[in-house]
């Protein structure tokens, strides 16, 4: 975790979705800039008139002063520059308008499919959180809508009943797709016509397919739509063969969802986050995903890996595809799921949980998300910390108002969490109290725990260490750390990440209290291991995938204090 992972200060849009667009990266790589450079080189004299003057000087000095200019200044220059070369200025004006549209306006899906277009849009305010690039990532879809959690549960959980007529039909459809999709088709349209013919019988009770369904200024290749007010529930784009010149079908369906979601007018659908499944066909391959609107930002991501529509002698590929088709048709059967109000409507927070179960009493406690903590998705070797501020509302009596308390909600990285070590350490005063958990099939388990306010507690890092800390308090910290290691060793436990950013302290009158956070890797000595995504640059003694040793915890805590107090 990061040093600011438990803070009371509010988050900002820039914190969550990356820095604002940089003109340096966008303009200097554009045809607009190349035209400006060409004009300057051709005329080879300084100009009066703002930007071109700066460009001429900047090129000679190898300094790109253009990055200091705002969009308005560039547009003002284009309007006011003396017409010494009117044809060249006209070209510049047209190229700038095209460049500005690519940066600040959503691109048509067919354009967004091309890398040269989506790279620019993803740097601007019209970005889509679709994992390309990885920094453009929203919350996982199975935390945002129950439909996507249901889909994942159906493809990852227990296999469907082999006697279920719907699954039998899905198997037959999958077998036919694996026979027909590997064939050669003259055009993309012919391939999608054959795809539609095969899958229609699986979805005929749900809705009808359309090739004329508008998405923005264009039309998606194939859309499954229900009756009003639901509309589209499955949007698809296709390519006749992989590696064609038309770009990435995944990025095209991403933009198709975004364009469709922007045009949705039905209030119930908007309030539900505009959930919609998507798919893309790339020759004999198919990818299933979903889309959701989180506070006006589209979140689109794959819900599984690519399915290969080719025959297998043991029907393994057919069975994998059948499970996906069965899961999809099952999720689409009830149109009310697309209109139903979500348990939570707080932006940038999980939407599927409204309560948790206490570990001690097994009582159900209402949970209201407030906001993510600052930088909730800070990059860490390809994964994110998911931490949220929420209110726990516990019943106190029939006629009395609920008792509210601030809590921390953690969605752990990966599927494991050291629940038992955390509870045991909390009982000895070495960790925040773990209050309870909530689980929904197909979605991560969330852990609700005591919130340690930064007004009373500080992380064991230089930036937060009180300047007036005494030598006695420093000694108390070492003694408290020794007691922690002894406690873990006595119970044959290891933690694995005793850096200062995972330790919070509070000064008393005569001593210092200590709480350890981030029990994701904790477990029994001899079985607990570091994750494969371990950041080897931090200085852990262990290796990715290696066992966590007691000596590692001892050395990490000692190093933390030595670095802090040197």
């Amino acid at each position: 975790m990061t040093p600011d992972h438990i803070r009371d200060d509010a988050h900002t849009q820039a914190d969550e979705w990356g820095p604002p667009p940089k003109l340096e990266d966008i303009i200097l790589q554009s045809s607009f800039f190349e035209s400006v450079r060409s004009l300057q080189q051709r005329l080879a004299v300084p100009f009066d008139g703002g930007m071109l003057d700066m460009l001429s000087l900047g090129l000679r000095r190898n300094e790109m002063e253009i990055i200091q200019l705002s969009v308005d200044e560039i547009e003002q220059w284009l309007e006011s520059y003396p017409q010494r070369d009117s044809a060249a200025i006209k070209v510049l004006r047209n190229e700038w308008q095209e460049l500005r549209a690519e940066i600040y306006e959503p691109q048509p899906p067919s354009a967004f499919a091309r890398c040269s277009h989506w790279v620019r849009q993803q740097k601007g305010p019209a970005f889509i959180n679709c994992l390309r690039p990885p920094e453009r990532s929203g919350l996982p879809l199975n935390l945002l809508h129950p439909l996507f959690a249901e889909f994942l549960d159906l493809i990852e959980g227990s296999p469907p009943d082999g006697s279920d007529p719907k699954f039998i039909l899905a198997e037959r459809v999958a077998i036919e797709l694996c026979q027909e999709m590997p064939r050669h088709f003259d055009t993309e349209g012919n391939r999608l016509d054959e795809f539609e013919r095969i899958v229609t019988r699986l979805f005929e009770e749900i809705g009808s397919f359309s090739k004329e369904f508008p998405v923005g200024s264009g039309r998606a290749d194939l859309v499954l739509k229900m009756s009003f007010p639901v509309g589209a529930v499955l949007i698809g784009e296709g390519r006749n063969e992989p590696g064609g010149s038309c770009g990435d079908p995944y990025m095209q369906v991403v933009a198709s969802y975004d364009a469709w979601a922007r045009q949705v007018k039905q209030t119930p659908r908007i309030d539900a986050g505009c959930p919609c499944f998507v798919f893309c066909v790339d020759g004999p391959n198919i990818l299933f995903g979903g889309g959701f609107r989180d506070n006006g930002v589209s979140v689109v991501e794959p819900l599984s890996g690519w399915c290969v529509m080719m025959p297998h002698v043991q029907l393994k590929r057919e069975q994998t595809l059948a499970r996906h088709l069965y899961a999809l048709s099952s999720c689409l059967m009830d149109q009310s799921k697309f209109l139903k109000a979500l348990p939570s409507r707080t932006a940038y927070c999980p939407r599927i949980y409204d309560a948790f179960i206490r570990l001690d009493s097994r009582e159900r406690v209402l949970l209201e998300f407030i906001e993510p903590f600052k930088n909730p998705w800070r990059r860490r070797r390809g994964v994110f910390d998911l931490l949220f501020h929420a209110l726990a509302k516990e019943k106190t009596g029939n006629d009395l108002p609920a008792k509210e308390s601030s809590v921390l909600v953690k969605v752990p990285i990966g599927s494991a969490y050291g629940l038992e070590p955390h509870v045991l350490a909390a009982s000895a005063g070495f960790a925040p109290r773990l209050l309870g958990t909530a689980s929904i099939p197909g979605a991560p388990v969330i852990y609700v725990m005591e919130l340690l306010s930064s007004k009373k507690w500080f992380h064991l890092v230089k930036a937060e260490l009180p300047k007036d800390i005494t030598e006695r308090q420093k000694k108390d910290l070492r003694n408290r750390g020794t007691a922690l290691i002894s406690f873990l060793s006595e119970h044959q436990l290891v933690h694995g990440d005793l850096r200062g950013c995972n330790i919070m302290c509070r000064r008393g009158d005569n001593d210092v209290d200590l709480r350890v956070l981030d029990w994701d890797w904790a477990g029994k000595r001899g079985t607990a291991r570091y994750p494969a995504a371990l950041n080897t640059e931090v200085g852990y003694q262990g290796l990715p995938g290696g066992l966590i040793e007691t000596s590692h915890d001892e050395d990490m805590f000692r190093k933390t204090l030595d670095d802090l107090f040197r």
Side-chain angles (χ1 to χ4, degrees), residues 268-342:
R269 197 76 197 268
I270 295 172
D271 290 345
C274 295
C276 186
F277 287 92
V278 301
F279 73 94
C280 53
V281 172
D282 195 13
N285 310 297
I286 186 169
L287 181 69
F288 297 95
F292 185 89
R293 291 284 281 181
D294 191 2
N295 198 37
V297 177
S298 291
V299 181
V300 186
E301 67 177 22
L303 291 171
S304 67
W306 286 88
C307 294
V308 179
M309 296 183 288
M310 295 181 182
H312 187 275
V313 67
Q314 294 179 310
L315 300 181
K316 290 185 177 180
R317 282 188 283 269
E318 289 88 341
Q319 291 168 358
T320 298
L321 179 58
R323 287 198 68 168
H324 285 73
L325 293 170
Y326 173 75
L328 183 60
S329 61
S330 298
C331 291
L332 298 178
M333 286 302 295
D334 185 358
Q335 71 173 16
S336 67
K337 295 177 181 178
F338 291 87
L339 304 172
K340 187 177 180 181
L342 293 169

Side-chain angles (χ1 to χ4, degrees), residues 183-465:
R183 302 186 188 280
H184 168 72
F185 292 87
D186 291 334
T187 66
E188 177 184 300
N190 290 344
R191 177 179 290 280
L192 291 176
D193 286 344
E194 181 67 0
F195 178 85
E196 179 186 0
R197 181 192 69 78
I198 296 171
V199 303
T200 291
R201 63 184 187 271
L202 185 61
F203 299 100
E204 58 189 0
E205 296 181 9
I206 298 170
S208 58
F209 281 104
S210 171
K211 293 186 177 70
E212 300 298 323
F213 194 89
V215 288
S217 59
R219 281 167 171 71
D221 286 342
L222 200 60
V223 174
L224 180 65
K225 59 179 182 178
M226 292 181 176
S227 58
F228 182 86
V230 177
V233 293
L234 178 64
I235 299 174
E237 297 285 359
R239 293 286 183 272
N240 192 20
E241 292 292 341
S245 60
C246 296
D248 182 356
Y250 169 69
M251 295 303 275
Q252 182 160 342
V253 82
V254 162
S256 291
Y257 168 82
D258 182 65
W260 166 78
R262 289 173 182 271
Q263 71 188 21
V264 171
K265 303 299 182 185
Q266 293 80 17
T267 300
R269 197 76 197 268
I270 295 172
D271 290 345
C274 295
C276 186
F277 287 92
V278 301
F279 73 94
C280 53
V281 172
D282 195 13
N285 310 297
I286 186 169
L287 181 69
F288 297 95
F292 185 89
R293 291 284 281 181
D294 191 2
N295 198 37
V297 177
S298 291
V299 181
V300 186
E301 67 177 22
L303 291 171
S304 67
W306 286 88
C307 294
V308 179
M309 296 183 288
M310 295 181 182
H312 187 275
V313 67
Q314 294 179 310
L315 300 181
K316 290 185 177 180
R317 282 188 283 269
E318 289 88 341
Q319 291 168 358
T320 298
L321 179 58
R323 287 198 68 168
H324 285 73
L325 293 170
Y326 173 75
L328 183 60
S329 61
S330 298
C331 291
L332 298 178
M333 286 302 295
D334 185 358
Q335 71 173 16
S336 67
K337 295 177 181 178
F338 291 87
L339 304 172
K340 187 177 180 181
L342 293 169
S344 173
R345 294 182 61 182
T346 306
Y348 313 129
C349 291
R351 307 294 186 94
I352 64 174
Y353 307 100
D354 61 358
F356 68 94
I357 303 300
R358 287 193 64 99
L359 293 178
D360 50 9
S361 64
R362 308 307 300 169
E363 291 182 355
R364 185 175 185 270
V365 179
L366 295 180
L367 187 67
E368 178 184 337
F369 284 90
I370 303 300
E371 63 181 3
F373 281 103
K374 189 176 182 181
N375 294 329
W377 300 290
R378 186 185 294 274
R379 268 251 172 251
R380 189 171 69 175
R381 290 291 179 185
V383 292
F384 298 100
D385 284 333
L386 298 176
L387 299 159
F388 306 91
H389 178 201
L391 286 179
K393 301 181 177 182
E394 300 190 61
K395 294 180 179 179
T396 55
N398 293 333
D399 300 324
L400 297 176
K403 178 184 176 182
E404 296 185 352
S405 57
S406 292
V407 294
L408 170 70
V409 178
K410 177 181 177 67
V411 181
I413 297 171
S415 58
Y417 186 75
L419 174 65
E420 293 183 6
H422 187 159
V423 171
L424 191 60
S427 67
F430 289 114
R433 288 182 297 114
L434 188 59
L435 304 177
T437 64
S439 61
I440 291 176
V445 176
I446 64 171
Y447 296 84
V448 183
M449 62 192 74
E450 173 188 12
L451 175 64
L452 304 181
S453 171
S454 59
K455 295 178 181 178
K456 297 180 180 179
W457 294 79
F458 62 92
H459 289 84
L460 207 52
V461 296
K462 284 188 177 181
E464 297 186 25
L465 187 70

